[in-house]
Amino acid sequence: MDALLQFIFSGMTVGAVYALVALGFTIIYNASDVVNFAQGEFVMLGGMITVFAHQAGLPLPLAAVLAILATAALGVALNKLAIEPARGAPVVSLIIITIGASILIRGATQLIFDKQLHRFPSFSGDDPIRVMGATILPQSLWVIGGAVAVFVALWLFFTRTLTGKAVLATANNRVAAQLVGINTGWVMTLSFGLSAAIGALAGVLVTPITLVSYDVGVALALKGFAAAMLGGMGNPKGALLGGLLLGLLEALTAGYLSSQYKDAVAFIVILGVLFVMPQGIFGHKSTERV
Amino acid sequence: MMTARGKWTQLAVLALVIALLPLFFPSGYYYRVGALIFVNALSVVGLVILIGYAGQISLGHAGFAGIGAYACALAPEHLGLHPGLAVILGAVVSGIMALLIGRPILRLKGYYLAVATLGFGILVSMVLTNERALTGGPDGMSVEDLGLRALLRDLGWRLSGGEFWYGVSGFVLLIGAWLALNLFDSPTGRAMRALHGSEVAASTVGVDVARQKLRAFVISAVYASVAGSLLALQNGYITPDVAGFMHSIEMVTMAVLGGVGSVLGATLGAAILTLLPQVLTVFAEYEQLVLGAVMIVVMIFLPQGLLPSIARRIRGRGE
């Protein structure tokens, strides 16, 4: 029982990171129908920039804010320089562009910073908290809390603010949104910036636990994508639940079945979901117009 | 559109390039690079059939290359099979795998298809990495020699390893290109291209869409598998990287870079991306940076790929 609880804690922690990556995917996908394979690199940048800004003497909170802002700027640049010029390109081209961007960002990070593993101190110390025979790191609470906070903030943004509603309108029907005067180009820019910032935040939160190096992004992007798909592509609620569920499944697999194959869970889940219910848990069945 | 004459022109160009290129090689090392280009081009020609003809995407074809490669490494050791026959065994296993997973996967479209194939590829590479007892894990395993070179030597034809594999890979690539070009104008090829244009339209004129997609998937899987086998045999050594995600991405990038509808273009794409790391050895740290930049720039400015874009420019000037 204690072991189970322990697995659940670690699963929730990892799952919260997947959820944040999946939320990032969702925002961009809704605004532009682009699946951004560079999403994992935003997480990596959040961690790396914080590490080096902190080493350069900035206090940790300031370093984290700097990392999030810098990554958001990069997200905007990605949209302006690579996605917008390729508007209307087939899916294969867009996949290659975003994968190219992720390779480019990785290559640049490795040149500008280095190839080592890094971490910075946890926000509230490293003394584990005991809960019913299991333990949880204070940093895990930060990660899980961060994911929930981002979700709630996004929900408020999309339902309570005019800008958020403009994003939703663009997601629903770009042409109609343009007709009622929404600047859809600006919505895209906003979405990329927001999505990059959320990714970077995930990186800032999780680095004290999992460490960061230039190449952690690929796996995170793939698993975040699996999480988004599990919950239903384009649905924020699905992204949150899909992420947590995937984290739990991984932790339980590692605990009870095989730690070697824990990384396989995400892909078995993807294939299973796609075969059985391609629309995911919360997705709608889509019909194609001829 | 490509005509029957276009087919023979393309094959002749390819054959001439393969035959004449060694005249410009300053050292034996270039045969190795050439052989590697041809092997990559072979798997990319398979992707031309899948992506260019049938309009489907796969981000997991390295999985099939992995199956082909490890068939050559494992079958001689455990089944006592000759390495040459192991290539065929690998191709058969890849084909059957593609048939089994293709049926449910190919109902998906766009990103969903991309991710499903990606998941398959990653699962294959994970099995190859984790089943240490069988595959040697991430360190890889050695591959038995084909024995053909020794045979040729006994017949009095002395070839270096590089020269031998340059010839073999070039020959197999020519056959692969010939088959792919034949397919283009065949009823099957036409059906594939029709469903690429519009699945609904294709099915109303009687094309069995699911069946043709599956065919393209299986054929391209066999191409990737044979390429993987050749790679294993010529290196004499194999690691799970051959089945890795990055290899799948490289394959698709090569195909799209050169021009995904054209066999020659695919070969050009394979040549460029294979040469890139060789050229950049001095600037090894810049390799990823350059690769990423090339991928983005080509997709934005030459969405049709290099060869079709260049061809259009030349034709445009002639008019």
Side-chain angles (χ1 to χ4, degrees):
Chain A
M1 195 56 208
D2 299 351
L4 177 66
L5 195 63
Q6 192 65 57
F7 296 145
I8 290 178
F9 284 161
S10 66
M12 293 280 279
T13 309
V14 193
V17 178
Y18 296 161
L20 284 171
V21 179
L23 280 170
F25 268 124
T26 306
I27 295 169
I28 290 183
Y29 181 77
N30 277 346
S32 63
D33 280 334
V34 171
V35 168
N36 174 26
F37 281 93
Q39 194 66 32
E41 311 310 323
F42 295 152
V43 182
M44 180 274 289
L45 282 175
M48 285 297 262
I49 298 177
T50 310
V51 165
F52 281 86
H54 186 49
Q55 272 179 12
L58 241 52
L60 197 53
L62 212 58
V65 170
L66 177 76
I68 292 169
L69 289 179
T71 310
L74 190 81
V76 171
L78 173 67
N79 176 45
K80 286 284 176 209
L81 298 177
I83 306 293
E84 257 179 25
R87 184 131 266 311
V91 170
V92 185
S93 307
L94 289 170
I95 289 176
I96 291 185
I97 287 176
T98 59
I99 291 178
S102 93
I103 296 175
L104 181 79
I105 294 173
R106 224 177 303 146
T109 310
Q110 166 202 331
L111 277 176
I112 297 170
F113 301 125
D114 60 18
K115 292 187 179 183
Q116 311 297 317
L117 273 171
H118 295 283
R119 70 164 289 196
F120 44 79
S122 307
F123 302 167
S124 328
D126 290 316
D127 300 327
I129 305 165
R130 306 204 135 267
V131 186
M132 298 193 298
T135 60
I136 186 164
L137 286 171
Q139 192 65 28
S140 292
L141 296 178
W142 275 100
V143 177
I144 299 167
V148 174
V150 166
F151 176 76
V152 172
L154 280 179
W155 179 73
L156 289 175
F157 172 67
F158 283 129
T159 53
R160 297 281 190 277
T161 68
L162 201 59
T163 319
K165 286 179 182 168
V167 178
L168 280 187
T170 309
N172 268 327
N173 189 329
R174 170 178 297 272
V175 178
Q178 258 165 351
L179 284 177
V180 296
I182 293 169
N183 184 345
T184 51
W186 188 75
V187 165
M188 287 250 311
T189 305
L190 178 74
S191 306
F192 271 85
L194 193 61
S195 169
I198 292 174
L201 176 69
V204 170
L205 293 174
V206 82
T207 296
I209 303 177
T210 58
L211 310 191
V212 67
S213 67
Y214 78 103
D215 58 356
V216 296
V218 188
L220 282 173
L222 296 180
K223 287 177 181 174
F225 195 3
M229 210 159 254
L230 176 62
M233 203 65 200
N235 185 316
K237 204 169 23 170
L240 182 71
L241 279 178
L244 291 175
L245 197 58
L246 186 61
L248 282 177
L249 281 172
E250 264 192 27
L252 293 176
T253 309
Y256 291 114
L257 294 172
S258 147
S259 58
Q260 278 183 326
Y261 281 103
K262 97 178 157 57
D263 290 328
V265 173
F267 304 104
I268 293 171
V269 165
I270 293 189
L271 289 174
V273 168
L274 288 176
F275 291 166
V276 182
M277 41 172 196
Q279 67 278 16
I281 300 173
F282 287 105
H284 303 286
K285 225 182 168 95
S286 68
T287 43
E288 202 186 347
R289 224 172 290 164
V290 179
Chain B
M1 270 277 96
M2 196 160 58
T3 60
R5 204 185 58 193
K7 178 177 101 180
W8 293 112
T9 320
Q10 289 200 47
L11 276 178
V13 168
L14 193 59
L16 270 177
V17 169
I18 294 173
L20 296 181
L21 214 52
L23 295 179
F24 304 98
F25 287 172
S27 76
Y29 164 73
Y30 288 81
Y31 284 98
R32 286 272 172 206
V33 179
L36 190 60
I37 290 177
F38 298 152
V39 166
N40 284 334
L42 182 66
S43 54
V44 176
V45 168
L47 282 183
V48 165
I49 295 173
L50 182 69
I51 305 177
Y53 293 9
Q56 309 300 305
I57 187 167
S58 167
L59 296 185
H61 258 52
F64 297 117
I67 293 174
Y70 275 85
C72 277
L74 291 171
E77 194 182 319
H78 293 280
L79 306 174
L81 216 58
H82 185 272
L85 292 175
V87 178
I88 296 169
L89 177 72
V92 170
V93 172
S94 291
I96 293 173
M97 282 288 263
L99 200 65
L100 291 178
I101 64 158
R103 208 172 283 276
I105 275 185
L106 289 165
R107 280 183 311 182
L108 307 166
K109 287 189 179 70
Y111 288 116
Y112 292 89
L113 179 62
V115 166
T117 49
L118 181 157
F120 160 76
I122 288 183
L123 287 176
V124 171
S125 80
M126 235 173 246
V127 170
L128 293 178
T129 311
N130 285 336
E131 295 305 315
R132 248 164 233 279
L134 198 61
T135 65
D139 297 334
M141 62 187 299
S142 61
V143 181
E144 204 176 293
D145 189 68
L146 191 57
L148 194 60
R149 193 156 69 94
L151 194 72
L152 287 175
R153 193 177 50 222
D154 293 342
L155 294 172
W157 196 10
R158 287 182 178 277
L159 291 171
S160 74
E163 289 165 346
F164 174 73
W165 283 111
Y166 182 90
V168 172
S169 315
F171 181 67
V172 177
L173 172 62
L174 264 184
I175 295 180
W178 177 62
L179 291 175
L181 289 167
N182 270 345
L183 185 69
F184 189 86
D185 266 333
S186 72
T188 306
R190 286 170 191 275
M192 285 174 185
R193 280 149 53 204
L195 80 89
H196 186 177
S198 160
E199 285 188 21
V200 179
S203 61
T204 49
V205 293
V207 172
D208 187 341
V209 170
R211 193 185 157 86
Q212 298 300 349
K213 280 189 195 173
L214 194 59
R215 263 193 193 162
F217 194 65
V218 171
I219 294 172
S220 63
V222 170
Y223 270 84
S225 174
V226 172
S229 296
L230 285 177
L231 188 71
L233 286 170
Q234 74 181 44
N235 286 343
Y237 200 80
I238 203 72
T239 67
D241 284 348
V242 68
F245 174 60
M246 275 315 291
H247 188 210
S248 288
I249 300 304
E250 273 172 19
M251 279 162 65
V252 175
T253 310
M254 285 171 182
V256 181
L257 177 65
V260 77
S262 109
V263 169
L264 265 192
T267 313
L268 180 69
I272 293 174
L273 275 203
T274 313
L275 285 175
L276 191 65
Q278 314 283 343
V279 177
L280 289 177
T281 38
V282 196
F283 314 98
E285 304 96 73
Y286 291 88
E287 190 190 326
Q288 289 203 317
L289 197 72
V290 174
L291 175 65
V294 166
M295 288 165 76
I296 298 175
V297 168
V298 169
M299 279 305 98
I300 294 174
F301 295 107
L302 303 168
Q304 305 292 316
L306 280 175
L307 202 63
S309 303
I310 295 170
R312 186 166 313 146
R313 190 146 300 171
I314 292 170
R315 226 172 290 143
R317 203 165 290 164
E319 273 159 15

